[in-house]
Amino acid sequence: MINTACPVPLTEYEHILLAHGGGGRLTHQLISRIFYPAFSNSFLNQDHDGSVFPIGNRRLAVSTDSFVVDPIFFPGGNIGDLAINGTVNDLACCGATPLYLTAGFIIEEGLATEDLVTIVSSMQAAATQAGIQIITGDTKVVERGKCDKIFINTSGIGLVPDGIHISPQRATEGDVVICSGEIGIHGITILSARENLGFETMLKSDTRPLNKMINEVLLKVKDVHVLRDPTRGGVSGTLNEIASAAEVEIVLDEATLPIPEAVKGACELLGLDPLYIANEGVVLVIVPERSAAEVLPIMRRFPEGENAKVIGKVYKTEQALVKMKTLLGSHRIVEMLSGEQLPRIC
């Protein structure tokens, strides 16, 4: 007899939508209702950008990510260095020192060899900048029309130092949220590079490795609770995930949000919210308020952290949510994105 019972619960959608990959509410639903029940274990259930696990008396972190950005070349970078930086930063946000990466390529028939050489060269340059090595990989070529030029998967492994315990569940009342730099730059850059939109800006993607700055923070400040890079879903999506995991309320201060004028202008023109736009060179650091005075000077010594500032505080309440104190002094709820603002942003 054939068992027709579904092994995992279904969502209310019969088919996968683009919004399921946007880092917002539908992505969270896809993961929590399908992947987590199917693969559930103590390491996966850490609910972080990667997983920390023991090997002997050491702890390692592993993370994997796939990159399908459109277009594959954009101001400030390309899909290659984006793939390296993305996985390096995910490992760093687990509290790990990134050591090694793998690289998997799905290439569409017809991709210019010169473009592939440029992408691979940029990957090696990014790996050198981050201080890691690409030690194995895989290549597949598919028929024309079966893939959009090139997709890249990178997986990484890093070493977590003793005494470092980074987890979204560690956000607690009295903590503050520090943002390392200006937000919304990567997403708006990708949007402006899409020829069919006819929209231009002078912005360049902020894709870059953050591991050296993060490692310095962890070396000097022992009481770091949470590290997250707000990529898909932006600052809003990331903070909502943290608030849900820790069962806390996070209150942002609109007056302190580091949103560049070019991002503000583009968002006003296109009806977008900077809090939901992807970033690739920004990290959110959650620490006790007393530790902020130690963390900020360290971050500001690095180019990627020179604009670091406190943007919010953590409170213990009955309801896990993210709110923002507006410029008018009122408060509004900052919900997780329901749909898809910008597909294929990373």
Side-chain angles (χ1 to χ4, degrees):
M1 180 180 294
I2 298 175
N3 184 1
T4 59
C6 180
V8 293
L10 297 175
T11 72
E12 59 263 39
Y13 294 91
E14 294 184 0
H15 303 282
I16 299 301
L17 309 175
L18 265 178
H20 280 109
R25 191 180 305 278
L26 291 188
T27 300
H28 181 75
Q29 181 188 93
L30 191 72
I31 293 171
S32 63
R33 297 189 183 181
I34 295 181
F35 295 120
Y36 274 5
F39 304 138
S40 181
N41 61 70
S42 60
F43 300 112
L44 181 68
N45 294 344
Q46 292 173 17
D47 197 21
H48 202 21
D49 281 338
S51 181
V52 177
F53 60 97
I55 294 290
N57 61 352
R58 309 301 294 269
R59 288 185 301 147
L60 298 179
V62 64
S63 184
T64 187
D65 208 343
S66 298
F67 295 84
V68 297
V69 64
D70 175 33
I72 60 175
F73 294 97
F74 47 83
N78 62 61
I79 191 172
D81 51 36
L82 182 68
I84 299 299
N85 294 336
T87 296
V88 164
N89 293 342
D90 283 348
L91 288 171
C93 286
C94 291
T97 299
L99 298 175
Y100 305 108
L101 293 184
T102 72
F105 301 84
I106 299 178
I107 304 169
E108 182 185 22
E109 176 190 19
L111 178 72
T113 304
E114 182 180 2
D115 287 347
L116 182 59
V117 170
T118 299
I119 289 168
V120 170
S121 297
S122 72
M123 292 177 72
Q124 181 55 48
T128 299
Q129 183 180 0
I132 54 94
Q133 292 179 288
I134 302 167
I135 60 171
T136 190
D138 180 62
T139 302
K140 297 291 189 296
V141 178
V142 298
E143 299 95 330
R144 194 184 301 267
K146 301 296 184 180
C147 165
D148 191 356
K149 300 181 182 68
I150 183 171
F151 297 155
I152 301 176
N153 172 273
T154 48
S155 297
I157 192 164
L159 182 64
V160 182
D162 292 339
I164 301 299
H165 299 280
I166 306 299
S167 168
Q169 288 89 357
R170 292 196 66 204
T172 190
E173 185 170 27
D175 285 355
V176 295
V177 181
I178 297 173
C179 183
S180 66
E182 296 179 323
I183 65 174
I185 293 176
H186 176 74
I188 294 300
T189 298
I190 298 300
L191 186 63
S192 69
R194 292 179 178 170
E195 297 177 357
N196 60 317
L197 295 178
F199 170 71
E200 295 183 359
T201 179
M202 298 300 292
L203 291 171
K204 293 183 178 180
S205 172
D206 60 353
T207 176
R208 53 194 170 187
L210 301 170
N211 57 308
K212 293 180 180 179
M213 178 183 69
I214 291 174
N215 285 350
E216 187 70 12
V217 169
L218 294 176
L219 181 65
K220 301 291 179 59
V221 183
K222 297 302 181 183
D223 201 15
V224 177
H225 290 169
V226 188
L227 294 165
R228 287 293 294 271
D229 54 337
T231 51
R232 290 182 308 164
V235 170
S236 169
T238 300
L239 290 181
N240 269 283
E241 289 177 359
I242 294 170
S244 177
E247 298 182 345
V248 295
E249 179 180 294
I250 299 175
V251 180
L252 301 174
D253 184 351
E254 186 176 14
T256 65
L257 293 179
I259 306 172
E261 289 300 322
V263 171
K264 288 182 181 178
C267 288
E268 290 174 0
L269 179 66
L270 300 169
L272 303 176
D273 187 332
L275 290 176
Y276 296 98
I277 294 178
N279 311 272
E280 289 294 343
V282 173
V283 62
L284 300 176
V285 183
I286 298 182
V287 296
E289 188 169 15
R290 65 179 181 278
S291 299
E294 298 178 75
V295 173
L296 288 170
I298 297 171
M299 297 178 70
R300 289 169 180 165
R301 289 203 295 267
F302 293 81
E304 56 269 35
E306 61 185 2
N307 295 311
K309 60 171 60 178
V310 174
I311 63 169
K313 297 188 70 172
V314 179
Y315 299 89
K316 189 66 177 178
T317 60
E318 294 182 358
Q319 185 176 7
L321 53 79
V322 179
K323 297 196 301 188
M324 184 166 67
K325 180 183 177 182
T326 70
L327 296 175
L328 298 177
S330 60
H331 287 80
R332 71 174 178 91
I333 295 176
V334 181
E335 295 184 308
M336 188 174 284
L337 186 67
S338 295
E340 173 68 282
Q341 277 200 135
L342 304 171
R344 294 183 57 191
I345 211 71
C346 60

